Amino acid sequence: MKKKFSILLIFCAFGFWHSAFSQTTDSTIAIMYPLEIPMSVSGTFGELRTNALHAGIDFRTQSKTGFNVYAIDSGYVSRVKIESGGYGRAIYINHKNGLTSVYAHLEALSPAIDSFVKREQYRLMLFQVDLFPAKDSIRVSKGDVIGLSGNSGASTGPHLHFEIREEKEQIPLNFVRKFRFPIEDKEPPVIKSVWIYPLGDSTHVNLNDSVPYTYNLKQQDSIVNPNTPLRVWGKIGFGIDVYDPAKANNNKTGIYSIELMLDSKLIFSQVMDKFAFDQARYVNSLIDYNQFATDYTRINKLFVQPNNKLTIYPVTVSNGIATIKDTLTHQILIVVRDANLNRSALTLYIKGTRNTIAPKPKTMGYKKVLCMKEQVVEGKDIRVLFAENSLYEDLNLFLYTTPYKKGAYYSDLHQVHNKYVPIHQAVRLQIRPKNLPDSLKSKALLALIEKNKIYWCGGSYKGKYIEAYIRTFGQYAVIIDTVAPVIKPLNQGKKSNDYTKEDVIGFEITDDLSGISTYQGFIDGSWALFEYDAKNNYLYYKFDPTRITFGKKHIIDLYISDAKGNQRTYHSEFIK
């Protein structure tokens, strides 16, 4: 069980700024606010998200959609991406200053952009498209309406996701810092707790060699007495649970920078100025992933694992790990700032205390996997193939097999380590099926089994095995998917086929295992642009008088398939 104690949390409006944290600001570039409503921020640059760092600013839109979205400067539309998840409807504009602005989760596009996109969607017969218009073919001026704010894609509520990127490499920037974008914020960050980790052999924190010690913080608590500091020995690391309060909307957002000092010497710093998208998944190394997998708390670690390749650490002395092998009392100072440089700090004391800790017992049945090397680990009817950089640090991998039971799965049930260790680059998992009829081989896949729930992982035959790529450790088995998706008509008029007063014809499409893979709709024999909102299982067609004739009977045909090729069709007549 984690030990708890309360220490003083010291808040300051502003403080010294270490040179390692300096980012060159550019006040000559003014970033225009892209909405017409008062500014309210719900997400900040570099926030810790699931499997990613947040690449922009989220602006609230009063829990509504349909507000004008403006081009922040003159330029040309360089990209338009439409997808059922992710950013939904997104517009990218290149500007003459070498920057790209990005506007995501839109409800609608401007007429000029929409006309281009629809023309390409009908040409390709696809809803999801990633388009790159010719340079200068769609010009915009500063302040032009380019679309309407929305809730499309993987958005969890109406808002505008906005980014500024370096055009050449498409690197997202913290434009609030770099260009001094004016977001009103006078509140310092809040440090909820600090965590102290024993790291390595012959190490302890408060006489425990494996469990982190936790201080839960209260703003008015008294300071820890320097005469009774926390006892530690060996290599130790620190972490904090921290957020930046947005009191205007009672929201908790991400912070900008962290400094860790040991006896006034800077040993670790983290700054969210910019990062490459291919680095974003390293967030699983930045956080205490074990704690996140336990209760979804994101503890920002102040030390760096061997295979963490994030470029947000200006200073890491010994990877931010403090080595205490004396009997002195040491001061730890942690300083946190938000993008407006509001500052919070906490001080705690540790004392080197030697303690005889029995060596950890050797782990029987575990197999060593090196994080920077390709390796294959084999067990009974299972193979786990690690690519280089699949892990953040070396791992003693545990495999356990529960024998096959008829009627449950088409293989043994294989425990591949546990969910508390993150995977970076996908791992190839191969499981040998058992008693799988030839007629069902094309329907076989691998599934993650967790708390009696089944999660599709994909897969197909590879020699004698079913192979899939996994990003989570856990229990896996071979199952089959032979059930086609379900199609349910929605928003019908009083007569089941009467849509004369409707603007759209919509359907709920669901699949209980491998998921919706393809969807095609035809009206009167011609392909029609059915749009898909994956998070709501909603497939719909907006009646377009340029494509169909109103005031008559029409025929609709839908073809919906899942990832294992099971298809459901729908045929009906309707009046519009």
Side-chain angles (χ1 to χ4, degrees), residues 97-118:
N97 52 20
L99 300 176
T100 298
S101 56
V102 183
Y103 316 76
H105 304 306
L106 301 176
E107 179 179 66
L109 313 177
S110 71
I113 301 172
D114 187 63
S115 176
F116 163 76
V117 170
K118 280 188 176 175

Side-chain angles (χ1 to χ4, degrees), residues 48-52 195 197 212 280-301 303 305 391-393 417-424 448 450 470-474 476:
L48 311 182
R49 300 287 179 91
T50 301
N51 296 321
W195 299 56
Y197 298 84
R281 192 177 174 88
Y282 285 105
V283 68
N284 292 329
S285 180
L286 187 157
I287 65 172
D288 178 347
Y289 191 85
N290 175 80
Q291 194 62 37
F292 176 71
T294 300
D295 63 8
Y296 299 104
T297 300
R298 291 185 174 95
I299 307 302
N300 192 315
K301 294 189 303 193
F303 58 94
Q305 289 178 293
L391 303 171
Y392 301 118
E393 61 185 1
H417 210 70
N418 62 63
K419 68 177 184 179
Y420 303 104
V421 174
I423 296 174
H424 185 72
L448 172 66
E450 185 174 333
I470 63 170
R471 280 279 181 83
T472 304
F473 289 125
Y476 288 90

Side-chain angles (χ1 to χ4, degrees), residues 247-532:
K247 287 201 171 181
N249 51 40
N250 197 31
N251 210 57
K252 297 178 180 180
T253 60
I255 52 90
Y256 171 59
S257 69
I258 306 173
E259 293 169 304
L260 170 65
M261 277 156 276
L262 172 63
D263 296 329
S264 300
K265 179 184 177 181
L266 183 67
I267 65 170
F268 171 91
S269 64
Q270 172 185 310
V271 184
M272 290 294 183
D273 280 333
K274 63 181 181 178
F275 58 86
F277 280 104
D278 62 5
Q279 295 179 2
R281 192 177 174 88
Y282 285 105
V283 68
N284 292 329
S285 180
L286 187 157
I287 65 172
D288 178 347
Y289 191 85
N290 175 80
Q291 194 62 37
F292 176 71
T294 300
D295 63 8
Y296 299 104
T297 300
R298 291 185 174 95
I299 307 302
N300 192 315
K301 294 189 303 193
L302 311 187
F303 58 94
V304 183
Q305 289 178 293
N307 208 22
N308 178 349
K309 297 181 180 180
L310 277 170
T311 55
I312 61 171
Y313 306 116
V315 176
T316 54
V317 177
S318 299
N319 289 330
I321 296 171
T323 300
I324 306 299
K325 289 195 174 180
D326 57 41
T327 57
L328 303 177
T329 296
H330 301 273
Q331 183 191 67
I332 300 298
L333 175 64
I334 299 173
V335 180
V336 183
R337 293 179 174 86
D338 63 22
N340 279 2
L341 305 190
N342 299 304
R343 174 183 182 272
S344 297
L346 69 85
T347 301
L348 62 95
Y349 294 89
I350 58 176
K351 180 178 176 59
T353 306
R354 186 186 296 275
N355 184 61
T356 302
I357 298 177
K360 296 178 182 179
K362 293 184 178 181
T363 51
M364 303 302 292
Y366 288 70
K367 301 185 180 182
K368 188 76 170 182
V369 178
L370 303 179
C371 66
M372 299 183 187
K373 182 180 178 181
E374 290 187 8
Q375 283 181 256
V376 179
V377 178
E378 298 195 44
K380 185 176 181 297
D381 296 326
I382 183 173
R383 302 177 79 229
V384 189
L385 296 86
F386 291 88
E388 184 179 347
N389 301 320
S390 287
L391 303 171
Y392 301 118
E393 61 185 1
D394 295 347
L395 174 68
N396 289 317
L397 182 75
F398 176 71
L399 296 178
Y400 178 78
T401 298
T402 301
Y404 165 81
K405 290 183 180 180
K406 186 176 180 180
Y409 313 110
Y410 285 90
S411 70
D412 296 332
L413 183 61
H414 297 276
Q415 179 71 47
V416 184
H417 210 70
N418 62 63
K419 68 177 184 179
Y420 303 104
V421 174
I423 296 174
H424 185 72
Q425 187 168 322
V427 170
R428 288 164 59 197
L429 178 61
Q430 298 177 342
I431 296 178
R432 189 192 298 267
K434 293 188 174 182
N435 297 325
L436 180 64
D438 290 343
S439 60
L440 295 178
K441 284 186 175 181
S442 65
K443 304 297 183 182
L445 55 95
L446 296 189
L448 172 66
I449 317 296
E450 185 174 333
K451 295 181 179 179
N452 295 320
K453 291 185 178 180
I454 296 176
Y455 300 93
W456 172 79
C457 299
S460 58
Y461 257 91
K462 184 84 170 181
K464 296 179 180 180
Y465 296 87
I466 302 294
E467 178 183 273
Y469 285 85
I470 63 170
R471 280 279 181 83
T472 304
F473 289 125
Q475 279 192 323
Y476 288 90
V478 175
I479 64 172
I480 60 170
D481 182 2
T482 60
V483 180
V486 175
I487 303 173
K488 179 183 177 182
L490 302 173
N491 72 301
Q492 295 171 321
K494 292 182 179 179
K495 297 180 180 179
S496 62
N497 64 346
D498 185 359
Y499 288 84
T500 55
K501 295 183 180 181
E502 303 291 338
D503 295 323
V504 302
I505 181 170
F507 301 84
E508 180 183 70
I509 58 173
T510 56
D511 187 80
D512 65 355
L513 191 52
S514 61
I516 302 297
S517 177
T518 63
Y519 43 90
Q520 295 283 355
F522 296 81
I523 295 179
D524 300 331
S526 296
W527 186 86
L529 178 57
F530 278 81
E531 304 180 40
Y532 181 38

Side-chain angles (χ1 to χ4, degrees), residues 502-503 541 543-546 548-554 576:
E502 303 291 338
D503 295 323
Y541 171 75
F543 291 119
D544 183 351
T546 68
I548 67 171
T549 303
F550 287 5
K552 58 175 291 188
K553 185 180 292 186
H554 301 276
K576 175 58 182 178

